[in-house]
Amino acid sequence: MITISLNGAEHTIKSSPETPLLYVLRDELGLNGAKYGCGLGQCGACTVIVDGKAILSCVTPVMLVASRSVITLEGLGAAENPSAIQRAFIAEQAAQCGYCISGMIMRAKALLDRSPSPSDADIRAELEPHLCRCGTHMRILRAIRRAALDPKTPNSARATQ
Ligand code: FES
Ligand code: FES
């Protein structure tokens, strides 16, 4: 059996090793933050963070994340206690249907963790694999800029020690 570290807790997985991580998260573990968009690695809705990197969980067999650190949207914060990046998306109202937003937030989080003060070009290049059919692109950019300036964002350009 495969064990994964998910949002800081160890989980033993019953699904077969070839099962896409997205299906394990949603169907076996009941975590619905990561979304099924295309199922083909082409939209970004299913993005989660593995060992600090944004990955597409719909095309990642769960066996590839065995013993690695997996973070999903649920690992960032909850409605009653949102993280800085989630607060920034809420403040900028950076969603219409919201279907793409979980994936956008996870990739933005990975970007800000390694690059606390990204340029607009950096943000645009990073988010390029993500599709948003509703067209909130400018609000999404503003939300990521806002999070980068929030002292409560880990590694923020303005974070105090
Ligand atoms: S659902 Fe994974 S990239 Fe679209
Ligand atoms: S807000 Fe609807 S797909 Fe992005």
Side-chain angles (χ1 to χ4, degrees):
M1 278 206 193
I2 290 169
T3 300
I4 63 174
S5 166
L6 177 61
N7 298 330
E10 297 294 312
H11 290 266
T12 300
I13 303 302
K14 299 191 193 88
S15 304
S16 71
E18 298 80 20
T19 308
L21 174 60
L22 178 63
Y23 301 173
V24 173
L25 293 173
R26 294 180 62 87
D27 299 340
E28 183 176 331
L29 300 173
L31 295 180
N32 296 324
K35 299 289 186 268
Y36 183 102
C38 62
L40 299 168
Q42 295 177 356
C43 75
C46 64
T47 300
V48 299
I49 297 175
V50 175
D51 288 348
K53 282 187 60 179
I55 64 119
L56 302 173
S57 64
C58 72
V59 290
T60 303
V62 68
M63 63 186 171
L64 291 187
V65 302
S67 304
R68 298 170 73 188
S69 166
V70 180
I71 308 289
T72 67
L73 188 72
E74 292 87 350
L76 300 190
E80 59 280 4
N81 185 29
S83 62
I85 182 87
Q86 290 167 313
R87 285 199 308 276
F89 272 72
I90 293 166
E92 295 294 346
Q93 289 291 287
Q96 286 189 40
C97 81
Y99 207 81
C100 67
I101 295 299
S102 168
M104 298 266 194
I105 286 177
M106 298 313 289
R107 190 172 296 273
K109 166 76 175 149
L111 170 65
L112 293 176
D113 282 351
R114 72 170 191 274
S115 176
S117 189
S119 67
D120 271 11
D122 292 338
I123 298 172
R124 286 171 183 271
E126 187 71 18
L127 272 286
E128 212 274 335
H130 290 252
L131 302 183
C132 173
R133 65 185 177 184
C134 299
T136 51
H137 304 79
M138 298 312 292
R139 288 172 178 262
I140 290 165
L141 284 172
R142 286 207 297 272
I144 298 170
R145 281 189 221 120
R146 177 187 279 259
L149 293 172
D150 185 336
K152 295 201 181 96
T153 301
N155 303 329
S156 158
R158 289 200 181 163
T160 51
Q161 293 302 311

